[in-house]
Amino acid sequence: DLGRLDLASDDWILPVLRAAPGLSQDGPFDIEERTEQPLVVFAFRTALTSDEKREAFHSVAATLDGKEAWAVPWPLPEEGLRPASVPGFAPDFGPAYRRAGEILQEHMRSGTESFRKASLVALEEEVRRIFRYFDGTVAEVRDAAPSGAEDVVRAIEAERDRRLAEALERFEPHAVASLCSVRVVFVPEARARMRAENAGPIEVRVDALTRHVRGLPEAVTADGPVPPRARPPSGTPRPRTRGGPGKARSPRGPRARSRSAAARRPGP
């Protein structure tokens, strides 16, 4: 898709710059250049699967040269967007696409790791349940027929091993992302010289579509300061949580069932 964002005025520039974290609110705000630049917006559909499936949509904006890319809210607002025709415009999306993929991977890293740990916790629960059921069955068989029960016990243990292998396959976590659309939007862009907090002047750029301020100090993003990554204590899994807006969660395959239903069943 090829489009253009039309705005009646440039009143959007200063409010966005003044709201950016890490920039001094005392000014000066010197807007040095206003241009129109193409942005490529990639839409991805992601799926995290194990014994359940979580799906979501993500958007990543990138410059055509792929030097800059950032995650943007899904979906983008449509106000002011109109179709555009640019004869001879045939860009190479390769650099932008590769950079967008890196941003998507980084954007999903925390959620993917949380999902992986939750899948491992669920696998441990399933393995304990299988052992509890089959070990109890073996004990009952041996109590009922102390002699001549070994053939039955071997059959029960073989079934237990089959169920364990099935559980390992069912609970193995996978992450997949597929490209849904590519949209090129010619957007108003402004370049401004400002002062960072407790620092000298810096040059930043902001576009009217995503309202993302580029050129901020490294420790700051559009969502605020980036905290250092911390590892959870060893052996402490993250709690299983439902997906947020734009995410769906559903059982995976015909064998999927709720934990409470599994606990009530007499068998594995």
Side-chain angles (χ1 to χ4, degrees):
D1 187 23
L2 188 63
R4 175 169 276 110
L5 179 63
D6 288 332
L7 297 177
S9 69
D10 293 331
D11 294 344
W12 60 273
I13 300 176
L14 284 180
V16 173
L17 293 177
R18 292 189 182 279
L23 294 178
S24 173
Q25 299 303 302
D26 299 330
F29 289 75
D30 297 326
I31 300 176
E32 298 186 342
E33 184 181 23
R34 294 180 178 87
T35 59
E36 182 184 72
Q37 298 292 336
L39 283 183
V40 190
V41 181
F42 298 94
F44 296 93
R45 181 178 183 177
T46 61
L48 303 176
T49 57
S50 61
D51 65 319
E52 63 185 67
K53 187 174 185 179
R54 299 182 187 178
E55 294 182 303
F57 288 92
H58 302 268
S59 291
V60 179
T63 56
L64 272 177
D65 57 14
K67 293 182 178 179
E68 295 178 300
W70 57 94
V72 296
W74 168 273
L76 282 174
E78 296 290 330
E79 184 179 359
L81 283 174
R82 63 177 178 83
S85 177
V86 184
F89 182 72
D92 174 14
F93 292 116
Y97 177 70
R98 287 189 290 272
R99 183 68 181 123
E102 295 172 358
I103 294 298
L104 177 66
Q105 186 175 21
E106 183 64 27
H107 183 66
M108 292 191 63
R109 189 181 304 279
S110 176
T112 302
E113 179 65 14
S114 176
F115 182 84
R116 185 188 70 83
K117 290 181 178 180
S119 297
L120 294 178
V121 170
L123 174 61
E124 290 175 1
E125 294 175 358
E126 183 74 356
V127 168
R128 284 195 296 266
R129 190 178 70 83
I130 291 172
F131 272 112
R132 185 168 58 247
Y133 173 78
F134 282 99
D135 288 352
T137 302
V138 168
E140 291 175 1
V141 169
R142 284 177 169 159
D143 288 343
S147 61
E150 289 308 310
D151 288 343
V152 177
V153 169
R154 280 194 292 271
I156 293 173
E157 290 177 341
E159 177 65 12
R160 178 201 62 195
D161 293 344
R162 187 184 71 81
R163 295 293 183 92
L164 288 172
E166 183 184 80
L168 287 172
E169 181 181 353
R170 191 171 83 240
F171 286 87
E172 183 180 4
H174 298 274
V176 177
S178 56
L179 181 65
C180 296
S181 67
V182 180
R183 189 179 215 177
V184 179
V185 183
F186 288 85
V187 300
E189 183 177 284
R191 181 168 58 87
R193 183 166 294 276
M194 308 179 67
R195 193 176 76 235
E197 292 180 353
N198 304 318
I202 59 173
E203 185 177 281
V204 297
R205 296 177 308 286
V206 60
D207 69 273
L209 179 66
T210 69
R211 309 294 175 100
H212 177 80
V213 181
R214 290 168 273 161
L216 292 173
E218 283 190 13
V220 175
T221 69
D223 296 322
V226 178
R229 289 183 184 170
R231 289 186 173 270
S234 177
T236 305
R238 296 184 183 179
R240 306 188 78 181
T241 58
R242 289 188 175 273
K247 298 181 180 178
R249 175 173 165 173
S250 60
R252 183 189 180 197
R255 298 180 180 274
R257 58 190 180 274
S258 67
R259 298 281 178 268
S260 58
R264 290 195 299 268
R265 293 188 60 174

